[in-house]
PDB file of all heavy atoms in Angstrom:
ATOM      1  N   ASP B1837      45.999 131.737 135.313  1.00 94.00           N
ATOM      2  CA  ASP B1837      46.135 130.601 134.414  1.00 94.00           C
ATOM      3  C   ASP B1837      44.908 130.472 133.437  1.00 94.00           C
ATOM      4  O   ASP B1837      45.098 130.249 132.258  1.00 94.00           O
ATOM      5  CB  ASP B1837      46.203 129.300 135.235  1.00 94.00           C
ATOM      6  CG  ASP B1837      46.763 128.125 134.478  1.00 94.00           C
ATOM      7  OD1 ASP B1837      47.808 128.301 133.823  1.00 94.00           O
ATOM      8  OD2 ASP B1837      46.075 127.033 134.476  1.00 94.00           O
ATOM      9  N   VAL B1838      43.700 130.703 134.013  1.00 94.00           N
ATOM     10  CA  VAL B1838      42.518 130.621 133.162  1.00 94.00           C
ATOM     11  C   VAL B1838      42.470 131.659 132.097  1.00 94.00           C
ATOM     12  O   VAL B1838      42.232 131.451 130.912  1.00 94.00           O
ATOM     13  CB  VAL B1838      41.221 130.681 134.074  1.00 94.00           C
ATOM     14  CG1 VAL B1838      40.009 130.841 133.194  1.00 94.00           C
ATOM     15  CG2 VAL B1838      41.107 129.472 134.979  1.00 94.00           C
ATOM     16  N   ILE B1839      42.756 132.920 132.553  1.00 95.00           N
ATOM     17  CA  ILE B1839      42.653 134.065 131.595  1.00 95.00           C
ATOM     18  C   ILE B1839      43.744 133.989 130.510  1.00 95.00           C
ATOM     19  O   ILE B1839      43.434 134.093 129.284  1.00 95.00           O
ATOM     20  CB  ILE B1839      42.752 135.382 132.376  1.00 95.00           C
ATOM     21  CG1 ILE B1839      41.519 135.478 133.266  1.00 95.00           C
ATOM     22  CG2 ILE B1839      42.861 136.551 131.432  1.00 95.00           C
ATOM     23  CD1 ILE B1839      41.736 136.605 134.349  1.00 95.00           C
ATOM     24  N   VAL B1840      44.964 133.713 130.916  1.00 96.00           N
ATOM     25  CA  VAL B1840      46.048 133.715 129.946  1.00 96.00           C
ATOM     26  C   VAL B1840      45.879 132.569 128.932  1.00 96.00           C
ATOM     27  O   VAL B1840      45.963 132.746 127.719  1.00 96.00           O
ATOM     28  CB  VAL B1840      47.462 133.576 130.640  1.00 96.00           C
ATOM     29  CG1 VAL B1840      48.537 133.343 129.675  1.00 96.00           C
ATOM     30  CG2 VAL B1840      47.712 134.841 131.459  1.00 96.00           C
ATOM     31  N   GLN B1841      45.601 131.356 129.520  1.00 95.00           N
ATOM     32  CA  GLN B1841      45.477 130.221 128.589  1.00 95.00           C
ATOM     33  C   GLN B1841      44.275 130.406 127.628  1.00 95.00           C
ATOM     34  O   GLN B1841      44.361 130.168 126.421  1.00 95.00           O
ATOM     35  CB  GLN B1841      45.328 128.960 129.424  1.00 95.00           C
ATOM     36  CG  GLN B1841      46.553 128.396 130.036  1.00 95.00           C
ATOM     37  CD  GLN B1841      46.906 127.063 129.537  1.00 95.00           C
ATOM     38  OE1 GLN B1841      46.134 126.386 128.872  1.00 95.00           O
ATOM     39  NE2 GLN B1841      48.102 126.580 129.836  1.00 95.00           N
ATOM     40  N   THR B1842      43.200 130.901 128.156  1.00 96.00           N
ATOM     41  CA  THR B1842      41.955 130.982 127.354  1.00 96.00           C
ATOM     42  C   THR B1842      42.107 132.088 126.275  1.00 96.00           C
ATOM     43  O   THR B1842      41.842 131.849 125.073  1.00 96.00           O
ATOM     44  CB  THR B1842      40.732 131.312 128.251  1.00 96.00           C
ATOM     45  OG1 THR B1842      40.590 130.276 129.200  1.00 96.00           O
ATOM     46  CG2 THR B1842      39.445 131.359 127.395  1.00 96.00           C
ATOM     47  N   LEU B1843      42.582 133.294 126.691  1.00 96.00           N
ATOM     48  CA  LEU B1843      42.676 134.369 125.722  1.00 96.00           C
ATOM     49  C   LEU B1843      43.724 134.054 124.651  1.00 96.00           C
ATOM     50  O   LEU B1843      43.525 134.262 123.420  1.00 96.00           O
ATOM     51  CB  LEU B1843      43.032 135.675 126.424  1.00 96.00           C
ATOM     52  CG  LEU B1843      41.921 136.268 127.285  1.00 96.00           C
ATOM     53  CD1 LEU B1843      42.387 137.567 127.901  1.00 96.00           C
ATOM     54  CD2 LEU B1843      40.654 136.544 126.469  1.00 96.00           C
ATOM     55  N   LEU B1844      44.857 133.485 125.046  1.00 96.00           N
ATOM     56  CA  LEU B1844      45.871 133.201 124.047  1.00 96.00           C
ATOM     57  C   LEU B1844      45.492 132.027 123.196  1.00 96.00           C
ATOM     58  O   LEU B1844      45.915 131.911 122.014  1.00 96.00           O
ATOM     59  CB  LEU B1844      47.221 132.915 124.734  1.00 96.00           C
ATOM     60  CG  LEU B1844      47.878 134.130 125.416  1.00 96.00           C
ATOM     61  CD1 LEU B1844      49.202 133.688 126.078  1.00 96.00           C
ATOM     62  CD2 LEU B1844      48.156 135.230 124.375  1.00 96.00           C
ATOM     63  N   TYR B1845      44.704 131.070 123.724  1.00 96.00           N
ATOM     64  CA  TYR B1845      44.222 129.966 122.929  1.00 96.00           C
ATOM     65  C   TYR B1845      43.256 130.506 121.804  1.00 96.00           C
ATOM     66  O   TYR B1845      43.304 130.065 120.663  1.00 96.00           O
ATOM     67  CB  TYR B1845      43.540 128.935 123.755  1.00 96.00           C
ATOM     68  CG  TYR B1845      43.026 127.754 122.933  1.00 96.00           C
ATOM     69  CD1 TYR B1845      43.935 126.843 122.337  1.00 96.00           C
ATOM     70  CD2 TYR B1845      41.676 127.556 122.707  1.00 96.00           C
ATOM     71  CE1 TYR B1845      43.476 125.754 121.649  1.00 96.00           C
ATOM     72  CE2 TYR B1845      41.189 126.466 122.007  1.00 96.00           C
ATOM     73  CZ  TYR B1845      42.110 125.583 121.447  1.00 96.00           C
ATOM     74  OH  TYR B1845      41.659 124.532 120.662  1.00 96.00           O
ATOM     75  N   ILE B1846      42.456 131.458 122.172  1.00 95.00           N
ATOM     76  CA  ILE B1846      41.563 132.080 121.180  1.00 95.00           C
ATOM     77  C   ILE B1846      42.362 132.694 120.091  1.00 95.00           C
ATOM     78  O   ILE B1846      41.937 132.702 118.897  1.00 95.00           O
ATOM     79  CB  ILE B1846      40.633 133.095 121.883  1.00 95.00           C
ATOM     80  CG1 ILE B1846      39.706 132.446 122.851  1.00 95.00           C
ATOM     81  CG2 ILE B1846      39.871 133.930 120.857  1.00 95.00           C
ATOM     82  CD1 ILE B1846      38.841 133.364 123.705  1.00 95.00           C
ATOM     83  N   GLY B1847      43.453 133.266 120.390  1.00 94.00           N
ATOM     84  CA  GLY B1847      44.337 133.931 119.411  1.00 94.00           C
ATOM     85  C   GLY B1847      45.424 133.064 118.819  1.00 94.00           C
ATOM     86  O   GLY B1847      46.390 133.584 118.167  1.00 94.00           O
ATOM     87  N   SER B1848      45.383 131.754 119.041  1.00 93.00           N
ATOM     88  CA  SER B1848      46.450 130.852 118.659  1.00 93.00           C
ATOM     89  C   SER B1848      46.398 130.478 117.161  1.00 93.00           C
ATOM     90  O   SER B1848      47.276 129.752 116.685  1.00 93.00           O
ATOM     91  CB  SER B1848      46.470 129.562 119.478  1.00 93.00           C
ATOM     92  OG  SER B1848      45.153 128.853 119.251  1.00 93.00           O
ATOM     93  N   LYS B1849      45.415 130.926 116.398  1.00 91.00           N
ATOM     94  CA  LYS B1849      45.239 130.584 115.038  1.00 91.00           C
ATOM     95  C   LYS B1849      46.469 131.005 114.208  1.00 91.00           C
ATOM     96  O   LYS B1849      46.896 130.303 113.257  1.00 91.00           O
ATOM     97  CB  LYS B1849      43.977 131.125 114.453  1.00 91.00           C
ATOM     98  CG  LYS B1849      43.638 130.682 113.017  1.00 91.00           C
ATOM     99  CD  LYS B1849      42.287 131.195 112.587  1.00 91.00           C
ATOM    100  CE  LYS B1849      42.032 130.774 111.105  1.00 91.00           C
ATOM    101  NZ  LYS B1849      40.765 131.246 110.614  1.00 91.00           N
ATOM    102  N   SER B1850      47.007 132.186 114.517  1.00 91.00           N
ATOM    103  CA  SER B1850      48.142 132.751 113.787  1.00 91.00           C
ATOM    104  C   SER B1850      48.859 133.755 114.676  1.00 91.00           C
ATOM    105  O   SER B1850      48.320 134.158 115.731  1.00 91.00           O
ATOM    106  CB  SER B1850      47.686 133.392 112.480  1.00 91.00           C
ATOM    107  OG  SER B1850      46.962 134.576 112.733  1.00 91.00           O
ATOM    108  N   PHE B1851      50.015 134.093 114.270  1.00 91.00           N
ATOM    109  CA  PHE B1851      50.762 135.177 114.913  1.00 91.00           C
ATOM    110  C   PHE B1851      50.001 136.468 114.987  1.00 91.00           C
ATOM    111  O   PHE B1851      49.921 137.121 116.085  1.00 91.00           O
ATOM    112  CB  PHE B1851      52.056 135.416 114.264  1.00 91.00           C
ATOM    113  CG  PHE B1851      52.877 136.548 114.779  1.00 91.00           C
ATOM    114  CD1 PHE B1851      53.407 136.591 116.026  1.00 91.00           C
ATOM    115  CD2 PHE B1851      53.023 137.698 113.979  1.00 91.00           C
ATOM    116  CE1 PHE B1851      54.123 137.658 116.542  1.00 91.00           C
ATOM    117  CE2 PHE B1851      53.659 138.824 114.465  1.00 91.00           C
ATOM    118  CZ  PHE B1851      54.257 138.782 115.755  1.00 91.00           C
ATOM    119  N   THR B1852      49.358 136.823 113.921  1.00 93.00           N
ATOM    120  CA  THR B1852      48.580 138.049 113.863  1.00 93.00           C
ATOM    121  C   THR B1852      47.406 138.002 114.853  1.00 93.00           C
ATOM    122  O   THR B1852      47.113 138.999 115.582  1.00 93.00           O
ATOM    123  CB  THR B1852      47.972 138.306 112.496  1.00 93.00           C
ATOM    124  OG1 THR B1852      49.106 138.263 111.508  1.00 93.00           O
ATOM    125  CG2 THR B1852      47.269 139.605 112.386  1.00 93.00           C
ATOM    126  N   HIS B1853      46.720 136.846 114.972  1.00 94.00           N
ATOM    127  CA  HIS B1853      45.670 136.734 115.945  1.00 94.00           C
ATOM    128  C   HIS B1853      46.117 136.903 117.399  1.00 94.00           C
ATOM    129  O   HIS B1853      45.524 137.562 118.207  1.00 94.00           O
ATOM    130  CB  HIS B1853      44.997 135.381 115.782  1.00 94.00           C
ATOM    131  CG  HIS B1853      44.063 135.226 114.568  1.00 94.00           C
ATOM    132  ND1 HIS B1853      44.593 135.146 113.300  1.00 94.00           N
ATOM    133  CD2 HIS B1853      42.758 135.264 114.462  1.00 94.00           C
ATOM    134  CE1 HIS B1853      43.578 135.027 112.440  1.00 94.00           C
ATOM    135  NE2 HIS B1853      42.397 135.103 113.135  1.00 94.00           N
ATOM    136  N   THR B1854      47.365 136.331 117.618  1.00 95.00           N
ATOM    137  CA  THR B1854      47.956 136.405 118.954  1.00 95.00           C
ATOM    138  C   THR B1854      48.170 137.880 119.289  1.00 95.00           C
ATOM    139  O   THR B1854      47.909 138.371 120.398  1.00 95.00           O
ATOM    140  CB  THR B1854      49.217 135.631 119.047  1.00 95.00           C
ATOM    141  OG1 THR B1854      48.895 134.198 118.795  1.00 95.00           O
ATOM    142  CG2 THR B1854      49.842 135.738 120.382  1.00 95.00           C
ATOM    143  N   VAL B1855      48.793 138.600 118.394  1.00 95.00           N
ATOM    144  CA  VAL B1855      49.123 140.012 118.622  1.00 95.00           C
ATOM    145  C   VAL B1855      47.860 140.813 118.864  1.00 95.00           C
ATOM    146  O   VAL B1855      47.760 141.687 119.713  1.00 95.00           O
ATOM    147  CB  VAL B1855      49.943 140.584 117.437  1.00 95.00           C
ATOM    148  CG1 VAL B1855      50.134 142.073 117.589  1.00 95.00           C
ATOM    149  CG2 VAL B1855      51.298 139.931 117.369  1.00 95.00           C
ATOM    150  N   THR B1856      46.832 140.490 118.099  1.00 95.00           N
ATOM    151  CA  THR B1856      45.541 141.216 118.271  1.00 95.00           C
ATOM    152  C   THR B1856      44.969 140.999 119.647  1.00 95.00           C
ATOM    153  O   THR B1856      44.488 141.966 120.254  1.00 95.00           O
ATOM    154  CB  THR B1856      44.580 140.716 117.194  1.00 95.00           C
ATOM    155  OG1 THR B1856      45.062 140.969 115.890  1.00 95.00           O
ATOM    156  CG2 THR B1856      43.255 141.449 117.283  1.00 95.00           C
ATOM    157  N   VAL B1857      45.014 139.794 120.155  1.00 96.00           N
ATOM    158  CA  VAL B1857      44.543 139.504 121.501  1.00 96.00           C
ATOM    159  C   VAL B1857      45.367 140.207 122.501  1.00 96.00           C
ATOM    160  O   VAL B1857      44.743 140.808 123.420  1.00 96.00           O
ATOM    161  CB  VAL B1857      44.595 137.990 121.761  1.00 96.00           C
ATOM    162  CG1 VAL B1857      44.413 137.695 123.245  1.00 96.00           C
ATOM    163  CG2 VAL B1857      43.536 137.259 120.934  1.00 96.00           C
ATOM    164  N   LEU B1858      46.659 140.231 122.391  1.00 96.00           N
ATOM    165  CA  LEU B1858      47.460 140.942 123.363  1.00 96.00           C
ATOM    166  C   LEU B1858      47.176 142.468 123.310  1.00 96.00           C
ATOM    167  O   LEU B1858      47.153 143.172 124.433  1.00 96.00           O
ATOM    168  CB  LEU B1858      48.938 140.732 123.029  1.00 96.00           C
ATOM    169  CG  LEU B1858      49.452 139.263 123.288  1.00 96.00           C
ATOM    170  CD1 LEU B1858      50.922 139.106 122.847  1.00 96.00           C
ATOM    171  CD2 LEU B1858      49.384 138.922 124.768  1.00 96.00           C
ATOM    172  N   GLU B1859      46.990 143.034 122.160  1.00 95.00           N
ATOM    173  CA  GLU B1859      46.698 144.449 122.101  1.00 95.00           C
ATOM    174  C   GLU B1859      45.304 144.786 122.660  1.00 95.00           C
ATOM    175  O   GLU B1859      45.188 145.769 123.345  1.00 95.00           O
ATOM    176  CB  GLU B1859      46.883 144.903 120.663  1.00 95.00           C
ATOM    177  CG  GLU B1859      48.322 144.898 120.108  1.00 95.00           C
ATOM    178  CD  GLU B1859      48.386 145.315 118.679  1.00 95.00           C
ATOM    179  OE1 GLU B1859      47.359 145.346 118.000  1.00 95.00           O
ATOM    180  OE2 GLU B1859      49.534 145.572 118.185  1.00 95.00           O
ATOM    181  N   LYS B1860      44.331 143.924 122.278  1.00 95.00           N
ATOM    182  CA  LYS B1860      43.031 144.229 122.656  1.00 95.00           C
ATOM    183  C   LYS B1860      42.722 144.094 124.171  1.00 95.00           C
ATOM    184  O   LYS B1860      42.052 144.920 124.784  1.00 95.00           O
ATOM    185  CB  LYS B1860      42.042 143.389 121.877  1.00 95.00           C
ATOM    186  CG  LYS B1860      40.593 143.683 122.074  1.00 95.00           C
ATOM    187  CD  LYS B1860      39.696 142.897 121.167  1.00 95.00           C
ATOM    188  CE  LYS B1860      38.166 143.248 121.396  1.00 95.00           C
ATOM    189  NZ  LYS B1860      37.340 142.487 120.490  1.00 95.00           N
ATOM    190  N   TYR B1861      43.339 143.010 124.704  1.00 95.00           N
ATOM    191  CA  TYR B1861      43.123 142.684 126.173  1.00 95.00           C
ATOM    192  C   TYR B1861      44.372 142.983 127.014  1.00 95.00           C
ATOM    193  O   TYR B1861      44.529 142.400 128.102  1.00 95.00           O
ATOM    194  CB  TYR B1861      42.672 141.246 126.306  1.00 95.00           C
ATOM    195  CG  TYR B1861      41.429 140.915 125.496  1.00 95.00           C
ATOM    196  CD1 TYR B1861      41.500 140.228 124.271  1.00 95.00           C
ATOM    197  CD2 TYR B1861      40.199 141.386 125.905  1.00 95.00           C
ATOM    198  CE1 TYR B1861      40.342 139.949 123.525  1.00 95.00           C
ATOM    199  CE2 TYR B1861      39.036 141.088 125.199  1.00 95.00           C
ATOM    200  CZ  TYR B1861      39.115 140.396 123.995  1.00 95.00           C
ATOM    201  OH  TYR B1861      37.995 140.170 123.290  1.00 95.00           O
ATOM    202  N   GLY B1862      45.202 143.878 126.532  1.00 94.00           N
ATOM    203  CA  GLY B1862      46.385 144.201 127.268  1.00 94.00           C
ATOM    204  C   GLY B1862      46.095 144.775 128.691  1.00 94.00           C
ATOM    205  O   GLY B1862      46.868 144.417 129.670  1.00 94.00           O
ATOM    206  N   GLN B1863      45.065 145.501 128.840  1.00 95.00           N
ATOM    207  CA  GLN B1863      44.678 146.034 130.122  1.00 95.00           C
ATOM    208  C   GLN B1863      44.363 144.943 131.091  1.00 95.00           C
ATOM    209  O   GLN B1863      44.762 145.012 132.274  1.00 95.00           O
ATOM    210  CB  GLN B1863      43.503 147.016 129.958  1.00 95.00           C
ATOM    211  CG  GLN B1863      43.109 147.693 131.252  1.00 95.00           C
ATOM    212  CD  GLN B1863      41.866 148.603 131.058  1.00 95.00           C
ATOM    213  OE1 GLN B1863      41.557 148.982 129.954  1.00 95.00           O
ATOM    214  NE2 GLN B1863      41.211 148.946 132.147  1.00 95.00           N
ATOM    215  N   ILE B1864      43.770 143.910 130.666  1.00 95.00           N
ATOM    216  CA  ILE B1864      43.415 142.746 131.500  1.00 95.00           C
ATOM    217  C   ILE B1864      44.671 142.038 131.943  1.00 95.00           C
ATOM    218  O   ILE B1864      44.845 141.739 133.119  1.00 95.00           O
ATOM    219  CB  ILE B1864      42.455 141.771 130.791  1.00 95.00           C
ATOM    220  CG1 ILE B1864      41.086 142.434 130.502  1.00 95.00           C
ATOM    221  CG2 ILE B1864      42.284 140.497 131.526  1.00 95.00           C
ATOM    222  CD1 ILE B1864      40.095 141.633 129.698  1.00 95.00           C
ATOM    223  N   PHE B1865      45.606 141.790 130.991  1.00 96.00           N
ATOM    224  CA  PHE B1865      46.802 141.077 131.349  1.00 96.00           C
ATOM    225  C   PHE B1865      47.619 141.912 132.365  1.00 96.00           C
ATOM    226  O   PHE B1865      48.181 141.338 133.343  1.00 96.00           O
ATOM    227  CB  PHE B1865      47.703 140.847 130.070  1.00 96.00           C
ATOM    228  CG  PHE B1865      47.160 139.806 129.163  1.00 96.00           C
ATOM    229  CD1 PHE B1865      46.610 140.158 127.934  1.00 96.00           C
ATOM    230  CD2 PHE B1865      47.208 138.532 129.540  1.00 96.00           C
ATOM    231  CE1 PHE B1865      46.149 139.190 127.055  1.00 96.00           C
ATOM    232  CE2 PHE B1865      46.721 137.479 128.671  1.00 96.00           C
ATOM    233  CZ  PHE B1865      46.187 137.840 127.415  1.00 96.00           C
ATOM    234  N   ARG B1866      47.661 143.183 132.183  1.00 95.00           N
ATOM    235  CA  ARG B1866      48.431 144.066 133.108  1.00 95.00           C
ATOM    236  C   ARG B1866      47.857 144.044 134.492  1.00 95.00           C
ATOM    237  O   ARG B1866      48.541 144.100 135.491  1.00 95.00           O
ATOM    238  CB  ARG B1866      48.609 145.460 132.546  1.00 95.00           C
ATOM    239  CG  ARG B1866      49.621 145.578 131.486  1.00 95.00           C
ATOM    240  CD  ARG B1866      49.877 146.994 131.044  1.00 95.00           C
ATOM    241  NE  ARG B1866      48.769 147.470 130.219  1.00 95.00           N
ATOM    242  CZ  ARG B1866      48.708 147.430 128.903  1.00 95.00           C
ATOM    243  NH1 ARG B1866      49.756 146.875 128.229  1.00 95.00           N
ATOM    244  NH2 ARG B1866      47.728 147.888 128.225  1.00 95.00           N
ATOM    245  N   LYS B1867      46.479 144.040 134.546  1.00 94.00           N
ATOM    246  CA  LYS B1867      45.849 144.118 135.865  1.00 94.00           C
ATOM    247  C   LYS B1867      45.904 142.865 136.694  1.00 94.00           C
ATOM    248  O   LYS B1867      46.017 142.872 137.934  1.00 94.00           O
ATOM    249  CB  LYS B1867      44.333 144.560 135.692  1.00 94.00           C
ATOM    250  CG  LYS B1867      43.684 144.885 136.990  1.00 94.00           C
ATOM    251  CD  LYS B1867      42.285 145.527 136.741  1.00 94.00           C
ATOM    252  CE  LYS B1867      41.639 145.894 138.090  1.00 94.00           C
ATOM    253  NZ  LYS B1867      40.308 146.504 137.895  1.00 94.00           N
ATOM    254  N   ILE B1868      45.854 141.659 135.996  1.00 94.00           N
ATOM    255  CA  ILE B1868      45.843 140.415 136.785  1.00 94.00           C
ATOM    256  C   ILE B1868      47.253 140.086 137.266  1.00 94.00           C
ATOM    257  O   ILE B1868      47.438 139.229 138.143  1.00 94.00           O
ATOM    258  CB  ILE B1868      45.281 139.286 135.954  1.00 94.00           C
ATOM    259  CG1 ILE B1868      46.108 139.038 134.746  1.00 94.00           C
ATOM    260  CG2 ILE B1868      43.849 139.535 135.602  1.00 94.00           C
ATOM    261  CD1 ILE B1868      45.768 137.782 133.972  1.00 94.00           C
ATOM    262  N   ALA B1869      48.298 140.711 136.749  1.00 94.00           N
ATOM    263  CA  ALA B1869      49.670 140.421 137.188  1.00 94.00           C
ATOM    264  C   ALA B1869      50.419 141.716 137.393  1.00 94.00           C
ATOM    265  O   ALA B1869      51.335 142.070 136.629  1.00 94.00           O
ATOM    266  CB  ALA B1869      50.346 139.553 136.104  1.00 94.00           C
ATOM    267  N   PRO B1870      50.120 142.435 138.429  1.00 94.00           N
ATOM    268  CA  PRO B1870      50.786 143.708 138.677  1.00 94.00           C
ATOM    269  C   PRO B1870      52.147 143.698 139.247  1.00 94.00           C
ATOM    270  O   PRO B1870      52.896 144.605 139.119  1.00 94.00           O
ATOM    271  CB  PRO B1870      49.825 144.426 139.641  1.00 94.00           C
ATOM    272  CG  PRO B1870      49.182 143.251 140.456  1.00 94.00           C
ATOM    273  CD  PRO B1870      49.079 142.129 139.449  1.00 94.00           C
ATOM    274  N   ASP B1871      52.561 142.539 139.839  1.00 94.00           N
ATOM    275  CA  ASP B1871      53.944 142.470 140.469  1.00 94.00           C
ATOM    276  C   ASP B1871      54.690 141.338 139.874  1.00 94.00           C
ATOM    277  O   ASP B1871      54.214 140.517 139.055  1.00 94.00           O
ATOM    278  CB  ASP B1871      53.836 142.333 141.970  1.00 94.00           C
ATOM    279  CG  ASP B1871      53.064 141.104 142.424  1.00 94.00           C
ATOM    280  OD1 ASP B1871      53.235 140.023 141.863  1.00 94.00           O
ATOM    281  OD2 ASP B1871      52.206 141.249 143.336  1.00 94.00           O
ATOM    282  N   GLN B1872      55.951 141.220 140.213  1.00 95.00           N
ATOM    283  CA  GLN B1872      56.879 140.297 139.616  1.00 95.00           C
ATOM    284  C   GLN B1872      56.486 138.863 139.770  1.00 95.00           C
ATOM    285  O   GLN B1872      56.534 138.060 138.841  1.00 95.00           O
ATOM    286  CB  GLN B1872      58.293 140.503 140.132  1.00 95.00           C
ATOM    287  CG  GLN B1872      59.359 139.635 139.529  1.00 95.00           C
ATOM    288  CD  GLN B1872      60.780 139.964 139.955  1.00 95.00           C
ATOM    289  OE1 GLN B1872      61.143 141.076 139.892  1.00 95.00           O
ATOM    290  NE2 GLN B1872      61.496 138.979 140.391  1.00 95.00           N
ATOM    291  N   SER B1873      56.100 138.460 141.027  1.00 95.00           N
ATOM    292  CA  SER B1873      55.720 137.084 141.303  1.00 95.00           C
ATOM    293  C   SER B1873      54.572 136.638 140.359  1.00 95.00           C
ATOM    294  O   SER B1873      54.528 135.486 139.929  1.00 95.00           O
ATOM    295  CB  SER B1873      55.440 136.867 142.753  1.00 95.00           C
ATOM    296  OG  SER B1873      54.295 137.671 143.127  1.00 95.00           O
ATOM    297  N   LEU B1874      53.564 137.524 140.271  1.00 96.00           N
ATOM    298  CA  LEU B1874      52.414 137.161 139.407  1.00 96.00           C
ATOM    299  C   LEU B1874      52.800 137.153 137.906  1.00 96.00           C
ATOM    300  O   LEU B1874      52.242 136.382 137.147  1.00 96.00           O
ATOM    301  CB  LEU B1874      51.242 138.129 139.693  1.00 96.00           C
ATOM    302  CG  LEU B1874      50.684 138.051 141.131  1.00 96.00           C
ATOM    303  CD1 LEU B1874      49.621 139.135 141.342  1.00 96.00           C
ATOM    304  CD2 LEU B1874      50.111 136.679 141.384  1.00 96.00           C
ATOM    305  N   GLN B1875      53.708 138.029 137.548  1.00 97.00           N
ATOM    306  CA  GLN B1875      54.141 138.053 136.144  1.00 97.00           C
ATOM    307  C   GLN B1875      54.909 136.737 135.826  1.00 97.00           C
ATOM    308  O   GLN B1875      54.834 136.223 134.706  1.00 97.00           O
ATOM    309  CB  GLN B1875      55.055 139.254 135.912  1.00 97.00           C
ATOM    310  CG  GLN B1875      54.299 140.596 135.898  1.00 97.00           C
ATOM    311  CD  GLN B1875      55.164 141.764 135.855  1.00 97.00           C
ATOM    312  OE1 GLN B1875      56.416 141.627 135.683  1.00 97.00           O
ATOM    313  NE2 GLN B1875      54.604 142.975 135.971  1.00 97.00           N
ATOM    314  N   ILE B1876      55.652 136.221 136.786  1.00 97.00           N
ATOM    315  CA  ILE B1876      56.298 134.906 136.562  1.00 97.00           C
ATOM    316  C   ILE B1876      55.281 133.854 136.351  1.00 97.00           C
ATOM    317  O   ILE B1876      55.450 132.967 135.463  1.00 97.00           O
ATOM    318  CB  ILE B1876      57.220 134.545 137.818  1.00 97.00           C
ATOM    319  CG1 ILE B1876      58.359 135.569 137.907  1.00 97.00           C
ATOM    320  CG2 ILE B1876      57.658 133.125 137.720  1.00 97.00           C
ATOM    321  CD1 ILE B1876      59.173 135.400 139.152  1.00 97.00           C
ATOM    322  N   ALA B1877      54.203 133.865 137.100  1.00 96.00           N
ATOM    323  CA  ALA B1877      53.075 132.901 136.900  1.00 96.00           C
ATOM    324  C   ALA B1877      52.480 133.066 135.536  1.00 96.00           C
ATOM    325  O   ALA B1877      52.095 132.101 134.888  1.00 96.00           O
ATOM    326  CB  ALA B1877      52.034 133.104 137.988  1.00 96.00           C
TER     327      ALA B1877
END
Side-chain angles (χ1 to χ4, degrees):
D1837 199 51
V1838 170
I1839 293 165
V1840 171
Q1841 284 243 349
T1842 303
L1843 291 180
L1844 290 180
Y1845 181 70
I1846 293 172
S1848 64
K1849 185 176 181 181
S1850 69
F1851 169 70
T1852 305
H1853 285 73
T1854 298
V1855 172
T1856 301
V1857 166
L1858 291 174
E1859 290 177 347
K1860 185 174 182 179
Y1861 301 104
Q1863 183 180 344
I1864 294 175
F1865 287 111
R1866 282 186 284 270
K1867 188 169 182 180
I1868 62 171
D1871 58 45
Q1872 181 173 310
S1873 61
L1874 296 175
Q1875 289 172 8
I1876 293 173

